Amino acid sequence: MRVFVVAGEPSGDALGGALMAGLKTLAPDVEFAGIGGPQMQAHGLTSRFDMSELSVMGIAEVLPKYFHLKRRIAETAQAVIDTKPDVLITIDSPDFSLRVAKLVKAGSDVRTVHYVAPTVWAWRPGRAKKMAAMIDHVLALFPFEPPYMIAEGMACDFVGHPAATVPQASGTQVADFRSKYGLEGAEPLILVLPGSRRGEIARMGPVFGETLGKLAANRPGMRMILPAAEAVAGLVQEQVKDWPVQPVVLDPRGMELQAGLAEKRAAFRAADVALATSGTVALELAAAGTPMVSAFDLHWLSRAIISRMVTTDTGSLINHVTDSRVVPEVIGKDFTVPNVVAAMEALLADPSGQLAAMNETMDKLGRGGEAPGLRAARAVLARMG
């Protein structure tokens, strides 16, 4: 069995790695080709080019790289057609993935699977209908998503979210982590997550840094830990040099993959609260039981265009899954230092209000069940009949 698999950012690489592991378990003769990061490469993928080339988000951010991305789309689609795999699996990154799938469908009869349903429940609901022209089967992370996809003629299976089943750091591992970095007396210990894309870090970093400086002014025991994604670790190291207070940066470069992931999980579990860029990292925080303030902003042009397409009043996945609004959000034009400081002060004063929603989210996303990567692999194979 030959599988061509494409991921464009760290979260997709994690999904892809787990899916590949599941496919190897259920179909040991499987062969992989495509594009991915370290977690997919650990399962035997030789990436056609560096996945970080695709980690861009927002209209204004994509425009300068438009022609390069267009070439990569055409190149990738042709590689799929030439390879003639049994299935093409694209993972998230829809601006790239779905354009590849469209060209593949136009030039072949390769079956197409897209892993991560588009957030049509949040913005641009018409995307599902357009997607149906090039995608045969969707693997959904959330239980409320399949009806949106099925209504447009695609097969769709809810396979659970990996954040709900990832092992969490033990008390001993947390204590060892705090000791290793001299954080035993930290009060509070704040987890800082400015994003995994270069554009996000450039936008979010300065406001995060100034916010943390103001919080630390009245908290002599406050410490910060910042787990950096491998592809942007150098950029993070450079940016935090200008912050008024210095976080401990976890740099995974040069570390064995599983050791780096274990250290990241220990950091999430060790922290008292988090200041996080909006996205799937909220689910990792929920799994670790770490309350958060969610923050996000785009380039002003992207913000102006996208704000007209949004159909929801919250971008927090925890708020969506639980139909609550317990996770505070500071987004768009409201993303300013005073607003983020106020939200963090309120969270530090009473961090317990998010815990019930976090537990409910994890239960709904598959905690205690079969690993999502294995479920996803089983769904792919079952639909190929």
Side-chain angles (χ1 to χ4, degrees):
M1 178 182 178
R2 290 175 296 178
V3 176
F4 199 106
V5 59
V6 176
E9 55 190 337
S11 59
D13 181 46
L15 290 171
L19 171 60
M20 290 170 66
L23 286 169
K24 287 163 69 175
T25 298
L26 300 175
D29 65 338
V30 67
E31 297 176 1
F32 298 107
I35 301 156
Q39 298 198 52
M40 292 166 67
Q41 292 169 31
H43 289 286
L45 179 72
T46 300
S47 186
R48 297 186 66 88
F49 54 83
D50 194 320
M51 183 189 72
S52 65
E53 291 185 28
L54 309 181
S55 294
V56 291
M57 182 178 183
I59 295 164
E61 293 80 358
V62 169
L63 285 176
K65 299 184 177 181
Y66 174 77
F67 291 107
H68 177 70
L69 289 171
K70 191 173 181 179
R71 284 193 298 272
R72 285 302 198 193
I73 289 166
E75 171 190 324
T76 303
Q78 191 59 52
V80 177
I81 293 169
D82 293 343
T83 302
K84 298 179 181 178
D86 295 290
V87 61
L88 164 65
I89 304 175
T90 54
I91 306 173
D92 210 0
S93 302
D95 290 335
F96 183 85
S97 294
L98 297 184
R99 286 175 169 82
V100 169
K102 183 177 181 179
L103 292 176
V104 169
K105 274 297 184 188
S108 75
D109 60 356
V110 171
R111 180 171 178 77
T112 54
V113 177
H114 190 65
Y115 195 173
V116 183
T119 53
V120 296
W121 37 269
W123 72 300
R124 287 175 57 200
R127 284 178 292 164
K129 185 174 183 177
K130 292 180 180 178
M131 184 169 145
M134 69 280 297
I135 296 297
D136 299 309
H137 179 198
V138 180
L139 304 174
L141 301 183
F142 300 102
F144 52 80
E145 292 178 321
Y148 293 97
M149 305 296 107
I150 293 169
E152 300 299 343
M154 292 173 283
C156 186
D157 294 299
F158 165 60
V159 297
H161 199 289
T165 57
V166 170
Q168 296 301 309
S170 67
T172 299
Q173 289 170 323
V174 168
D176 289 346
F177 174 82
R178 281 180 171 259
S179 176
K180 176 180 178 179
Y181 290 103
L183 301 170
E184 299 98 324
E187 189 178 344
L189 177 58
I190 297 180
L191 187 67
V192 187
L193 301 163
S196 60
R197 303 180 184 93
R198 300 183 71 85
E200 283 178 337
I201 293 163
R203 280 191 309 277
M204 311 299 289
V207 173
F208 275 27
E210 190 174 345
T211 294
L212 294 165
K214 292 183 179 301
L215 292 174
N218 299 317
R219 293 179 173 85
M222 180 179 131
R223 298 291 302 280
M224 297 147 294
I225 192 85
L226 195 165
E230 183 173 6
V232 293
L235 174 62
V236 169
Q237 294 275 21
E238 283 300 312
Q239 180 144 142
V240 301
K241 289 179 182 178
D242 295 328
W243 289 10
V245 289
Q246 295 296 299
V248 174
V249 176
L250 303 184
D251 185 347
R253 292 175 296 180
M255 293 185 70
E256 190 272 330
L257 176 62
Q258 292 305 317
L261 292 173
E263 188 161 81
K264 177 183 173 182
R265 289 195 291 270
F268 274 56
R269 191 79 170 177
D272 296 301
V273 299
L275 173 58
T277 297
S278 298
T280 55
V281 73
L283 300 177
E284 297 179 67
L285 291 167
T290 304
M292 73 199 79
V293 165
S294 180
F296 191 64
D297 196 14
L298 288 165
H299 184 281
W300 69 267
L301 178 59
S302 299
R303 185 204 308 159
I305 295 171
I306 291 173
S307 64
R308 290 170 170 77
M309 305 176 185
V310 172
T311 59
T312 180
D313 66 343
T314 179
S316 166
L317 292 169
I318 295 167
N319 290 347
H320 273 294
V321 172
T322 60
D323 194 23
S324 69
R325 298 296 181 266
V326 298
V327 174
E329 299 173 275
V330 188
I331 58 178
K333 60 182 176 57
D334 294 325
F335 178 64
T336 64
V337 171
N339 288 343
V340 181
V341 168
M344 286 295 293
E345 290 283 10
L347 177 63
L348 287 164
D350 181 17
S352 64
Q354 299 178 27
L355 298 181
M358 289 178 172
N359 282 323
E360 180 184 347
T361 298
M362 292 299 102
D363 290 342
K364 287 183 174 179
L365 298 189
R367 182 165 58 186
E370 188 175 59
L374 188 59
R375 290 176 65 176
R378 202 183 304 284
V380 169
L381 295 173
R383 298 278 187 178
M384 289 180 65

